[in-house]
Amino acid sequence: MDAQRPEPTFETWAVIELFGHQKIAGLVTEAAIGGCNLIRVDVPATDRQPAYTRYFGPGAIYSITPVSEEIARSVLAYIRPRPVSPYMLPQPATDDGMQEEEEGDGDW
């Protein structure tokens, strides 16, 4: 763990069942962001996707089942959760049908 991140009070590999009939598996720790307590799930890389992290509020979680790392990794192959995919919305068209260019350097 890096020096800026405090030691978690909870850390275990687990399968998490979420409302909406979704599941995710990974290393589960606690996180506080903006004064809210969240569950952090570090999902390891698989042969189909890179590692990623997701945060969940307690109201999104139906259950947390602690398991070994080996079981969590094997569950990932079965449930195949996907990280959020970034996307950009198209720019609005002007009266002449051409897309408007933003002033500045083009960054959001």
Side-chain angles (χ1 to χ4, degrees), residues 76-95:
L76 286 172
Y78 175 72
I79 62 175
R80 296 188 208 152
R82 288 182 268 159
V84 174
S85 298
Y87 64 92
M88 294 180 68
L89 297 173
Q91 296 296 314
T94 60
D95 289 337

Side-chain angles (χ1 to χ4, degrees), residues 2 4 7 15 18 22 24 26 33 36-37 41 43 45 61 74 80 84 88-89 93 96 98 106:
D2 62 80
Q4 295 180 357
E7 284 294 317
V15 176
L18 304 162
Q22 297 179 52
I24 193 166
I33 299 175
C36 296
N37 292 324
V41 182
V43 180
I61 299 169
S74 66
R80 296 188 208 152
V84 174
M88 294 180 68
L89 297 173
D96 63 4
M98 300 294 292

Side-chain angles (χ1 to χ4, degrees), residues 1-8 11 27 29-30 40 42 53 55:
M1 303 215 154
D2 62 80
Q4 295 180 357
R5 184 174 167 201
E7 284 294 317
E11 182 174 326
L27 182 62
T29 56
E30 294 177 296
R40 175 182 169 146
D42 292 309
T53 299
Y55 294 89

Side-chain angles (χ1 to χ4, degrees), residues 91-92 100-106:
Q91 296 296 314
E100 247 180 61
E101 286 195 30
E102 295 283 295
E103 290 184 12
D105 61 3

